[in-house]
Structures are given as structure tokens and as C-alpha cells.
Amino acid sequence: MADIALADLPLVVGIGGTIGGVSSTERALKIALDSASREGFRTRMFGGADMAQLPLYDPKATSRTDAEQEFVETVRQASALIIASPGYHGSISGVVKNALDLLEETSGDARPYLADMPVGLIATAYGWQATGSTIAALRSIVHALRGWPTPFAAAINTQITKFDDVGGANEPSVIQQLTLVGQQVARFAPLAMATNG
């Protein structure tokens, strides 16, 4: 596909991962984004290394770093999001929350926050309990940001599921779940695009 044609495609932004190397969360997010790409969307992922560049959100700051500005501008261009978080102590990680807090910069936009945008959700945790509470926290945050969590969210127990370096996992059902997350945001995005276009 030519670069010009690619630039014209609607955008799905992925937010997720952990600081300190490529994590299971980031690998899961990549699978979901690849699924959205196959549905005809271009994608941009903000993984752990990207989020590590975002300073702790200060609502009173009078300027923003280049990394903060790039993140906010990219989300502004998005037709859909996928958010993936590890379950830390029963909720989302600090770096994911900090990135989402930065979206306060869009509060005065014609389309503030994640208004009318479909948002796919992924939670990874070492055990089932934290996956449920993490997805619940993500749903609450997306609602507060005026977004639409898609009906299906992927809960991944990393005690059982192991990801590889080439975009796969040892559990085919997990690949199917992540693929569905990407498909749903891609299929609901045209509704949001029609509303905001």
C-alpha cells in the first residue's frame, strides 16, 4: 500500500505496556492492533518505552514536552483506541493512568477526551482476579472520558498464556480474543467517524 494511501486511512491508537522492556501487555496490544490493521486501519502504538517518556501529569503546567504533545495530537487524530494494562494491585498501572490523565489537554476540543470513540480493552495479570478488576477500572475510566468501551474485553492470565516474540501465543483462544478486540474497534469506528465528521 502506498504511503499516501496509508496516510488517508483512519487511525486506531494503542496505549499500553510496562516500563522495562516489551511486556506481555504490549505483545497482546500489538496482536489487537494488527487485527484492526487487517480491517483497513492504520495503527500507532504507545508502548511502555513511549509512556516512560511522559512526565507525571501536572494539570497546572504551562508547557508540554514533545512526547506529551505527540501523544495528545495522535489521540486527537484517532477514530478508535485500544487500551491495554497490566493488573497492578487490582487496578491499572501508573504509566497507563498517567497517559490517560494527559488527555485532560483535550478538554476544550470540539471532540473532548474520547467522546463518542470506540475503545477496546485488554487486561493482563498473573492470575484471574486482577484481570476482572483491571477491566472494570478501564471501563470506568473510558466512561469518564466519554468514550464507548466495546462489548468484548480481553482478560489474559499470564500464568497460563505465554507470548512469543513474533506475534503469537501458546493459547489460540487468547489470539482469538485479541483479534476480536481489534475487529470490534474497527467495526464501531465508522459510527464515531460519521458522528464527528
Side-chain angles (χ1 to χ4, degrees):
M1 185 176 296
D3 287 342
I4 294 174
L6 183 62
D8 291 337
L9 294 175
L11 175 65
V12 176
V13 172
I15 301 168
T18 58
I19 294 175
V22 178
S23 63
S24 296
T25 307
E26 212 163 313
R27 287 185 168 103
L29 177 57
K30 178 75 168 65
I31 292 168
L33 287 172
D34 287 346
S35 173
S37 180
R38 289 191 296 274
E39 297 289 323
F41 286 73
R42 63 188 166 102
T43 62
R44 168 70 162 92
M45 181 166 74
F46 290 91
D50 300 298
M51 291 187 295
Q53 300 302 310
L54 300 175
L56 192 62
Y57 179 63
D58 176 2
K60 295 181 180 178
T62 56
S63 63
R64 297 293 170 199
T65 66
D66 290 346
E68 287 176 306
Q69 290 178 41
E70 180 191 6
F71 176 77
V72 172
E73 287 305 317
T74 304
V75 173
R76 279 182 169 133
Q77 297 168 27
S79 298
L81 257 69
I82 301 175
I83 304 171
S85 178
Y88 282 1
H89 305 139
S91 190
I92 70 172
S93 70
V95 292
V96 172
K97 181 63 166 64
N98 186 56
L100 296 174
D101 287 346
L102 185 54
L103 297 180
E104 184 62 26
E105 294 296 293
T106 69
S107 64
D109 290 2
R111 182 186 75 177
Y113 309 114
L114 305 177
D116 301 324
M117 200 184 301
V119 183
L121 305 176
I122 301 166
T124 62
Y126 198 69
W128 289 116
Q129 182 173 342
T131 61
S133 57
T134 301
I135 285 173
L138 285 169
R139 284 190 188 281
S140 293
I141 290 167
V142 171
H143 283 144
L145 291 172
R146 307 181 194 178
W148 297 93
T150 56
F152 183 80
I156 300 164
N157 182 346
T158 56
Q159 278 185 309
I160 300 167
T161 301
K162 304 301 176 193
F163 293 94
D164 59 38
D165 294 331
V166 293
N170 64 332
E171 294 281 323
S173 63
V174 168
I175 299 291
Q176 291 170 357
Q177 288 180 47
L178 295 168
T179 298
L180 182 56
V181 169
Q183 288 172 340
Q184 285 193 345
V185 296
R187 290 170 184 172
F188 290 126
L191 299 175
M193 289 155 55
T195 300
N196 294 299

